[in-house]
Every structure is written in structure tokens, then in C-alpha cells.
Amino acid sequence: MVSRTVGTGVATLGAVVLSLLTVPAQAAPAAPAAGPDTTGLRKVLRTALTQGAPGAFARIDDNGKVHHLAEGVADRSTKRALGTGDRIRVGSVTKTFTAVVLLQLVDEGKLKLDTSVDTYLPGLLPDKKITVRHVLSHRSGLYDYANTLFSPSVSGFEKVRNKVYTYRQLMDLSLAKPLTNKPGASYAYSNANFVVAGMLIEKLTKKPVATEYQNRIIKPLKLADTFYVHPKNTIPGKFSRGYMTVDSTGKKLDSTLQTTSWAQSAGGLVSGAKDLNKFMSALVQGKLTSAAQLKEMLKWTPVNSTQAYGLGLRRRDLSCGATVYGHTGTVQGYYTWAFTSKTGKRSVTSFANTSNNGTVYATVNRTLENTFCG
């Protein structure tokens, strides 16, 4: 069954205030609500438009029933309406794909999670105590080079949007700074971790990460809208354009054309809402790794009172007591959320075609509450 609610709206300029939604967990049933709150979802998406997003959508796959909700435009020039079928840059949702490939390599006996990265990539990292598990759980202490590249955000982006980096060049940017903490000591998000993960994949398989994504995930799951396009700067097929908010002015920079070479195995995938929902559902249902490796993926490091991080996977604890798994993604002009219930029976991908707008981010983040708490 498919229920469809698609509308358009006119985005007005909203204040750019960095704010992240945190909802205290309450004692309540851990299962999702009987059904998503589509009325609330529609309000959230329309609110995002008033705050500066040209468009926003949410697709929910709920045990055979599909909900499509979309507001605003995919292209500010042509005014084409945004739809849940548009392809998008999914940013750090890529990290979950990368982690799955590495866990499959663990299943194949080619890799061990608690072995030093130095065993596989000799001399790359400054501390031999950094393990594969530390990298996949953001506990390596590696400095996030994105902090250097995108400060300030817009001019930094313009310098790199068409640049093609090697993995080694990205690691040099990270290693130019000291470790932020001792290996294993604490969670500290860093794109450098998943650059290392990409290097591990290519070293152990002797194939590009694009080939491994394709052969291990995209083809088996028949993901029709998922591509690793690097180093090209275009998106194939029907896609949403991305609009980055210019610092302090609120103006929008069309950031669609970019190599995302600064991200690669940390954030370079293009995908669609249907594919992401299928991927996350398949993951938690044990269709992509052994039960043993899925168990490892779900060993959590606390981030804050409502969030934790596993191996390339986020956990969110919602206000109704439901716990959901997935990942968020930010690439210039693109905000993405891809989450599923513990059973994988209800999944949502929500999206706004903007970035550098903390107000929109906090608003669209609420789609998880509407989807799983009803």
C-alpha cells in the first residue's frame, strides 16, 4: 500500500541558529507507535521551508505500507517540486555502508576488530594502539580534518568543491594535528576514521571502495538509486539540487556540483530514500552480516543522554521510549536522516536540500519522533 502526500511551499528566510534537538528518554514502551504521525511530519517539513530550506521530504516504509511526504522544490530555478524519489547526496550515511563492508571482511577472516590498524596499514597512524574498532566507533582520537577545510564553511567549500584528493592527502590533513584523545578513551566524531576504513577496504580487497559497495551491498539488495560517483561532481538521473546557506547572510549557494572528494568513504555516496530504507532494514534484520558481527556493530559508546554510537551506526533513544538505529548525513547543501526500528519493520529517510542551517537541522531531526512515536 502507498499513501502519498506531496505539496509545495515557498521558503522564506529563517534565522541560522545552531541548535540540536535533544529529547529526554522516558519510561514507555520500547516499540514504535502503531503508526507514524503524518500530520505532524507534514508540519515539520513545512516549518523547515519557513526556516530556509528550499525543500524537505520524508519517506516511511512501514511493514509494507509506504508514506511519501514532500514539500517545497528540488530546483529553485525551475521550481520543480521535490519528491521522495529524488536522488540525493547522503553524506555520512555512507559510513554505515563502509562499516558493513569491513564487518563482512571480518566475517571472511580478513580482518579483526581489535587488531591494530598498523597491522594492516603499517606506519599510517601515529599510535599503534589504535584498533579497527576504535576507528569504526570514532574512538581513535584522529583529528577531523573537515574542521580545517571548512572554517569558514562557504569559502572553504569553494576551494575544494572540484578538488580530487587521495586518501593519503586527507590523512595528511588529519595527522598534521595531534590526537584529540588517547585511543579508546572517548567518542570524538572524525571523518578521518572512515578515510582509514576506506583504506582498509582497498588494502584488504585490492579493489576500489566503489566496487566493494557495488558487489557487497548495492547489487545484492538491488538498490537502484545508490552510486559511488567519486571523483565525478555530478549526480546521475533525477536528483535534488543542494543549497548551502551562506554564513551570516542567509543567501543560498547552489552546491550541487561537487566531487565530495574530501569525504569519499566517509561521505561520498549518492542514494535515494527507498534505497536507504531498504538498506537500514536489511542491516538490522541480519541480511548483510553474520549475527556475530551485527552484535559487534550494536555495541554502543555513549554520545549524550539520548544518543550512542556503535560501529558506523547511530542509536537514538526517543521520547516515547523507542530506540532506533541509523545514521545522519551532511554534505554541503544536503541534510539526510536514515533510521529504522530495532526490528527493521519501520524505516524513514528524511531530507532537506540545505546545509549550514542549524535551525533547519533541528527541525527536520524531529521527523524521527513523528515517525516512530506517532
Side-chain angles (χ1 to χ4, degrees), residues 24-208:
Q26 300 173 1
D37 176 9
T38 55
T39 300
L41 275 166
R42 191 177 304 113
K43 290 180 180 178
V44 166
L45 300 178
R46 289 175 176 172
T47 297
L49 267 59
T50 70
Q51 296 168 338
F57 72 58
R59 173 184 167 127
I60 302 169
D61 287 85
D62 188 13
N63 203 25
K65 186 175 183 179
V66 185
H67 301 270
H68 300 270
L69 298 101
E71 297 288 337
V73 298
D75 188 321
R76 296 179 70 219
S77 296
T78 66
K79 307 301 182 185
R80 181 179 72 80
L82 180 67
T84 59
D86 284 2
R87 293 171 180 168
I88 58 178
R89 297 191 185 278
V90 303
S92 288
V93 180
T94 304
K95 290 179 171 68
T96 310
F97 283 74
T98 301
V100 165
V101 173
L102 280 179
L103 290 171
Q104 289 181 359
L105 292 174
V106 175
D107 278 328
E108 294 165 14
K110 297 177 181 177
L111 184 73
K112 293 183 178 179
L113 290 172
D114 294 309
T115 295
S116 170
V117 170
D118 190 72
T119 300
Y120 309 105
L121 299 169
L124 175 67
L125 303 183
D127 193 328
K128 292 184 180 181
K129 294 179 182 178
I130 298 174
T131 67
V132 176
R133 187 187 300 275
H134 293 154
V135 165
L136 291 180
S137 58
H138 292 294
R139 293 184 296 135
S140 68
L142 290 170
Y143 170 75
D144 191 351
Y145 58 83
N147 294 331
T148 298
L149 289 178
F150 304 122
S151 181
S153 56
V154 175
S155 60
F157 168 64
E158 290 285 27
K159 289 178 181 178
V160 305
R161 68 184 298 167
N162 292 309
K163 191 168 182 176
V164 177
Y165 288 96
T166 64
Y167 280 136
R168 181 74 245 195
Q169 288 172 327
L170 294 175
M171 289 309 302
D172 286 345
L173 289 171
S174 174
L175 297 173
K177 301 283 188 178
L179 295 180
T180 59
N181 54 255
K182 293 181 179 180
S186 61
Y187 169 89
Y189 192 87
S190 173
N191 286 287
N193 287 310
F194 280 79
V195 171
V196 174
M199 296 176 77
L200 285 167
I201 290 170
E202 296 196 348
K203 177 67 177 292
L204 295 171
T205 66
K206 296 180 171 54
K207 295 175 184 177

Side-chain angles (χ1 to χ4, degrees), residues 278-299:
K278 184 186 290 187
F279 167 68
M280 290 297 179
S281 177
L283 174 59
V284 303
Q285 290 177 352
K287 297 178 181 179
L288 292 172
T289 69
S290 67
Q293 297 317 314
L294 180 58
K295 184 177 180 180
E296 295 297 327
M297 198 175 204
L298 300 178
K299 289 183 178 179

